[in-house]
Amino acid sequence: MKLLPRILYFSMLLLGIAAMAGIGYYSAQYLHNDDNRITRLPHADSHLEQLGEGHHRKKLWVCPMHPQILQDHPGICPICGMDLVEAKGAHEHGGAGVQVDAASLQRMGVRLASAEQRTLSREVQTYGTVAIDESSILNISPKIEGWIRKLHVNAVGQQVRAGQVLYEIYSPEMVQRQREYIELLQRRDQLLQSLTELSGQNAQAVVSLARERLRSREKFVYADVSDSILNEIEKTRRTVDIVPVRAPKSGFVTQIGVREGSYVTPLVNLLSMADTSRVWIDIELYPDQLAWVKEGDEVSVKLPHSDQPQIRGRLQFINPTVDSATRTVRARLVVNNVHLLLRPGAFVDVIIATQPHKTLAIPRSAVMHTGNGNKVMLSRGDGHFIPVSVETGIESGDFIEITDGLQEGAQVAVNGQFLLDAAASLSDSAQRMQGDH
């Protein structure tokens, strides 16, 4: 009999708790106004509706050309007639973005840029080595036998100007040729002195001597005897025993094969010269870069740790073989080096612009890289900005490709976008708190 009172006691206790919970829920749904009338709170039903809808994210549609046109359902822009597109990344509850006055925008340094069609290329970054253009290398050998009496080039790397004396040679063969040439000139002078008594046969002899003189001069020129030496011989009628040989073009010495006093023949390479006004840049390409690079691609070359402007050119040659030691493929670029800024053997930074194509692009500084993806602050006009998620592609220079999320002509914030995004987040949080309370 003692069990029945206990059961009745616990039953009454449970009923009391249920009654208190009902009163609390009723009080949460209603408030007394100034006239002592009970008013239903509007957020209660909306909260229940959100629970019933499973907290679905509210979608917004915006005009690509007129971002001030924004609505919560698909449609057509009343200004330009374009179809509205979904504004990805906009905050929910309709309170998307933030409104900032013109003075604050100026203090924040906010600048706008339009999404435009640009030609972008995938940039392949590698390094290169400056090398001598092998087509400019000149080997200098004597045309006759003799002894090097004086060598005016003493070190590898010495700069040589066109017309500068390289060496002086004494050749008995050259002296004998000069004597024969002097005799030829003397016979011609004798014939010209008897000009009044010329017969047909004498006239033919003069013509023959003139031809022989021209052939002799050509032989001297071939033997690196300058016109000034020949003119001196014709004027003085004396031989020049030691003949100076001059450089045919400018460059720097890459190799010296003889010294003063050496006996040389036409088979001896006295020295080698190279012209560095045009150089090669040997580029190293790795296996994962070969699929993008092809001959004719535009290349930018920059000296590391230098303020010199970039040197541009086009890829002219790709080696078909792979280096067995480095497992790389060597490509070649030919560039002008008139100011001698590029020294053979130096390393340079190389950027190859591959597969150029036209695409929608914005400045790289406009994109905010977050843990939830990439975003930009889209301007709707009158200082109103909304965060929009975008899909990005390749980067080229100061621009980045936009594959999804923006339309051509849309304006985005380039500077101060992080401040705008933070303000939009605070505004959205405040709207959430106001809606919940």
Side-chain angles (χ1 to χ4, degrees):
M1 295 300 292
K2 294 181 179 180
L3 181 61
L4 181 59
R6 292 182 178 179
I7 294 175
L8 292 175
Y9 173 76
F10 284 111
S11 298
M12 292 176 67
L13 182 62
L14 291 175
L15 289 174
I17 294 174
M20 292 179 65
I23 293 172
Y25 176 76
Y26 183 83
S27 300
Q29 306 300 317
Y30 292 87
L31 285 176
H32 290 275
N33 57 13
D34 295 337
D35 298 333
N36 294 326
R37 291 179 296 175
I38 298 176
T39 304
R40 179 89 173 188
L41 286 178
H43 78 272
D45 289 337
S46 63
H47 182 64
L48 293 176
E49 291 173 2
Q50 290 176 2
L51 289 176
E53 294 174 358
H55 292 285
H56 289 302
R57 186 180 184 90
K58 186 175 181 180
K59 296 182 178 180
L60 298 175
W61 280 261
V62 64
C63 175
M65 296 299 295
H66 303 88
Q68 67 272 20
I69 305 300
L70 186 69
Q71 61 188 30
D72 58 356
H73 60 275
I76 298 177
C77 176
I79 299 178
C80 62
M82 293 182 62
D83 292 335
L84 302 184
V85 298
E86 182 181 350
K88 297 183 178 180
H91 296 295
E92 55 190 59
H93 300 295
V98 63
Q99 182 82 26
V100 183
D101 59 275
S104 298
L105 289 177
Q106 186 175 5
R107 287 194 298 269
M108 295 167 62
V110 176
R111 293 189 298 108
L112 300 180
S114 299
E116 300 176 350
Q117 294 288 334
R118 293 180 178 272
T119 300
L120 301 185
S121 303
R122 181 182 295 273
E123 294 183 349
V124 174
Q125 298 185 1
T126 180
Y127 72 95
T129 307
V130 182
I132 298 173
D133 184 356
E134 294 182 1
S135 63
S136 68
I137 296 178
L138 176 64
N139 293 326
I140 296 178
S141 301
K143 304 303 189 299
I144 55 176
E145 298 180 1
W147 286 266
I148 302 297
R149 297 297 299 270
K150 186 173 182 58
L151 191 63
H152 292 264
V153 176
N154 302 315
V156 173
Q158 180 178 342
Q159 292 290 334
V160 175
R161 301 184 306 274
Q164 176 182 337
V165 177
L166 297 177
Y167 63 93
E168 298 177 9
I169 186 172
Y170 168 73
S171 172
E173 180 182 354
M174 176 61 66
V175 174
Q176 181 61 31
R177 289 185 184 181
Q178 294 180 27
R179 291 172 180 171
E180 295 175 355
Y181 184 65
I182 292 173
E183 293 177 358
L184 175 64
L185 294 177
Q186 292 175 349
R187 292 199 305 271
R188 185 200 61 175
D189 293 341
Q190 293 175 357
L191 289 175
L192 291 178
Q193 288 177 359
S194 57
L195 182 62
T196 55
E197 302 176 357
L198 282 178
S199 60
Q201 185 176 1
N202 292 336
Q204 186 176 1
V206 172
V207 173
S208 177
L209 289 174
R211 292 176 179 175
E212 187 175 353
R213 173 178 173 272
L214 292 177
R215 287 193 297 267
S216 298
R217 289 185 66 94
E218 290 177 355
K219 292 179 180 179
F220 282 122
V221 172
Y222 177 76
D224 296 330
V225 179
S226 62
D227 290 337
S228 60
I229 298 294
L230 291 177
N231 294 335
E232 181 181 355
I233 293 174
E234 292 181 355
K235 182 178 180 180
T236 61
R237 304 297 170 90
R238 294 180 179 178
T239 61
V240 178
D241 296 338
I242 300 176
V243 177
V245 178
R246 302 180 180 274
K249 65 177 184 179
S250 301
F252 75 97
V253 179
T254 60
Q255 182 182 359
I256 299 177
V258 295
R259 293 299 176 186
E260 291 183 1
S262 299
Y263 180 80
V264 295
T265 66
L267 299 178
V268 176
N269 183 28
L270 298 180
L271 54 91
S272 298
M273 294 173 48
D275 184 10
T276 56
S277 61
R278 190 179 69 169
V279 295
W280 287 351
I281 297 181
D282 292 332
I283 303 171
E284 301 292 337
L285 296 176
Y286 295 92
D288 59 336
Q289 298 173 335
L290 292 176
W292 305 101
V293 179
K294 67 178 186 302
E295 294 183 4
D297 287 341
E298 185 176 354
V299 182
S300 300
V301 179
K302 183 173 179 57
L303 288 169
H305 312 294
S306 175
D307 296 333
Q308 298 295 334
Q310 290 186 350
I311 301 175
R312 299 186 181 273
R314 292 196 175 273
L315 208 61
Q316 296 188 359
F317 173 74
I318 299 179
N319 199 319
T321 61
V322 178
D323 191 301
S324 59
T326 62
R327 310 308 301 172
T328 59
V329 174
R330 179 164 294 185
R332 181 176 299 160
L333 172 70
V334 180
V335 297
N336 292 325
N337 190 33
V338 179
H339 300 293
L340 304 180
L341 299 178
L342 300 175
R343 296 178 177 271
F347 288 102
V348 292
D349 297 326
V350 177
I351 299 178
I352 306 175
T354 67
Q355 298 184 355
H357 62 282
K358 201 166 187 179
T359 183
L360 187 67
I362 60 174
R364 287 198 304 176
S365 58
V367 179
M368 298 179 293
H369 303 282
T370 67
N372 297 325
N374 300 325
K375 295 192 300 182
V376 297
M377 294 302 294
L378 176 66
S379 172
R380 295 176 56 195
D382 298 330
H384 192 187
F385 294 87
I386 59 174
V388 176
S389 296
V390 294
E391 297 292 336
T392 60
I394 65 174
E395 298 182 10
S396 179
D398 296 330
F399 294 92
I400 185 171
E401 180 183 16
I402 300 298
T403 59
D404 189 23
L406 289 179
Q407 296 290 333
E408 185 176 359
Q411 289 193 324
V412 296
V414 179
N415 286 28
Q417 64 271 29
F418 290 97
L419 297 176
L420 294 174
D421 182 55
S425 299
L426 291 175
S427 176
D428 185 45
S429 299
Q431 290 185 14
R432 287 173 182 268
M433 295 176 63
Q434 183 179 1
D436 294 338
H437 299 286

